[in-house]
């Protein structure tokens, strides 16, 4: 029987709700990508060029440390990776996660999903494919609600 993991980063709770709906619908395991240093509201102020998120996103090599132990992704056939879109791409802590687990993914399918107030997922999907070309990326989806997430999960 195929095993699925829903790994997600959520700064405000929106992506968390969507990820939990997907995991519930698919009977999948869920893993929250947690930065070692939690983001504050000031950190997330994208209008402040000196905010933590702005500084991280302006540095493509930035890889914020993560808290806790990472899942053993080799046990999964499919890994869905969820995140809010920041500056048209995935947050850098998602890159930290993928840097760590990509070598273990083997033949697993990897499916991105995202939440956003105004950006699409296409640029983020392309960015992920460029950063991790060895992974078997499948078409991702921008999800705005729990009901759309559950419906998409039923289609997968």
């Amino acid at each position: 029987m195929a095993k699925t993991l829903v790994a997600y980063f959520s700064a405000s709770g929106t992506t968390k709700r969507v990820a939990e709906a997907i995991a519930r619908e698919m009977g999948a395991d869920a893993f929250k990508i947690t930065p070692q240093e939690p983001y504050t509201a000031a950190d997330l102020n994208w209008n402040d060029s000196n905010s933590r998120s702005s500084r991280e996103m302006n540095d493509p090599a930035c890889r914020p440390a993560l808290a806790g132990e990472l899942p053993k992704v080799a046990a999964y056939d499919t890994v869905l990776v969820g995140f809010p879109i920041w500056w048209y791409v995935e947050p850098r802590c998602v890159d930290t996660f993928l840097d760590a687990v990509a070598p273990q993914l083997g033949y697993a399918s990897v499916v991105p999903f995202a939440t956003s107030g105004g950006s699409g997922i296409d640029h983020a999907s392309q960015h992920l494919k460029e950063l991790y070309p060895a992974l078997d990326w499948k078409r991702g989806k921008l999800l705005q609600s729990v009901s759309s997430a559950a419906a998409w999960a039923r289609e997968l």
Side-chain angles (χ1 to χ4, degrees):
M1 184 169 184
K3 268 186 93 173
T4 301
L5 174 67
V6 178
Y8 67 93
F9 166 69
S10 185
S12 67
T14 301
T15 306
K16 177 183 183 202
R17 288 186 292 277
V18 165
E20 289 174 344
I22 293 167
R24 227 179 1 261
E25 191 66 38
M26 296 181 80
D29 295 335
F31 174 78
K32 183 178 181 185
I33 300 167
T34 306
Q36 193 169 58
E37 181 184 337
Y39 290 91
T40 66
D43 290 336
L44 298 173
N45 183 357
W46 59 273
N47 288 310
D48 176 0
S49 62
N50 201 29
S51 72
R52 177 177 163 201
S53 60
S54 294
R55 289 190 320 270
E56 288 177 0
M57 297 310 292
N58 282 322
D59 179 3
C62 178
R63 296 296 187 268
L66 300 180
E69 191 173 325
L70 297 179
K72 299 195 181 342
V73 297
Y76 295 95
D77 303 292
T78 303
V79 176
L80 287 84
V81 180
F83 50 87
I85 294 180
W86 289 3
W87 287 258
Y88 305 101
V89 296
E90 73 287 350
R92 301 294 182 224
C93 61
V94 172
D95 295 336
T96 303
F97 172 77
L98 288 169
D99 284 354
V101 303
Q104 306 161 29
L105 284 170
Y107 297 102
S109 296
V110 185
V111 186
F113 67 93
T115 57
S116 174
S119 299
I121 194 173
D122 291 341
H123 189 76
S125 293
Q126 185 59 38
H127 185 252
L128 287 166
K129 288 176 186 177
E130 290 168 6
L131 284 178
Y132 307 98
L135 298 182
D136 181 19
W137 290 102
K138 303 300 182 192
R139 183 160 176 78
K141 182 86 171 169
L142 182 70
L143 301 165
Q144 299 296 24
S145 68
V146 169
S147 60
S148 68
W152 180 65
R154 286 190 292 275
E155 293 174 11
L156 289 176

